[in-house]
């Protein structure tokens, strides 16, 4: 095992715990950040599910949270392109690189200042 692999292996449990506990983003005011976005946004929404018994979110972000993000980004005067991939794992670029490239390049082609 290389030094980098060993370092990454040691960080995984701590990183997972930091996100699960909320410590990873404790000092990040997401609303303020999103209100100050200054570029067009492509949001790819991957697998997510709300457990009906516990109410816990399985996935990175819920539909309701995406609506809030859209509201904040568009409120800042920016475009917000939403693409749904309901069965796609978190790492789209690693799982299905062709879909990732097609999605990003297609979106970029539609941005007037990029053409």
């Amino acid at each position: 095992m290389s030094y980098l692999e060993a370092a990454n292996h040691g960080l995984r449990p701590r990183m997972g715990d930091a996100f699960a506990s909320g410590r990873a983003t404790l000092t990040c005011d997401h609303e303020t950040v999103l209100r100050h976005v200054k570029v067009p946004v492509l949001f790819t929404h991957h697998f997510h599910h709300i457990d009906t018994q516990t109410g816990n979110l399985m996935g990175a972000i819920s539909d309701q949270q995406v609506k809030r993000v859209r509201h904040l980004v568009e409120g800042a005067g920016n475009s917000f392109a939403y693409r749904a991939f309901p069965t796609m794992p978190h790492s789209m670029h690693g799982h299905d690189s062709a879909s990732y490239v097609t999605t990003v390049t297609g979106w970029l082609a539609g941005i007037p200042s990029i053409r």
Side-chain angles (χ1 to χ4, degrees):
M1 181 180 301
S2 72
Y3 172 78
L4 184 56
E5 290 170 326
N8 284 337
H9 179 72
L11 287 176
R12 285 188 189 131
R14 290 184 299 220
M15 286 292 289
D17 179 65
F19 279 92
S21 69
R23 284 190 328 272
T25 58
L26 186 63
T27 60
C28 179
D29 180 357
H30 292 96
E31 185 165 334
T32 298
V33 170
L34 292 168
R35 285 184 187 278
H36 289 89
V37 169
K38 304 217 181 302
V39 296
V41 171
L42 169 63
F43 193 101
T44 62
H45 200 185
H46 305 187
F47 171 81
H48 59 286
H49 171 74
I50 304 289
D51 184 304
T52 56
Q53 300 224 350
T54 66
N56 291 337
L57 171 65
M58 295 176 9
I61 188 169
S62 70
D63 292 333
Q64 181 180 0
Q65 290 169 316
V66 172
K67 287 178 186 174
R68 181 68 176 149
V69 170
R70 176 189 289 273
H71 172 77
L72 294 170
V73 169
E74 289 178 345
N78 297 289
S79 65
F80 184 92
Y82 177 86
R83 305 290 185 273
F85 297 92
T87 61
M88 187 67 66
H90 182 75
S91 174
M92 181 181 192
H93 61 282
H95 181 75
D96 187 351
S97 57
S99 289
Y100 173 77
V101 169
T102 300
T103 300
V104 173
T105 56
W107 172 72
L108 286 170
I111 298 174
S113 62
I114 301 289
R115 288 189 233 162

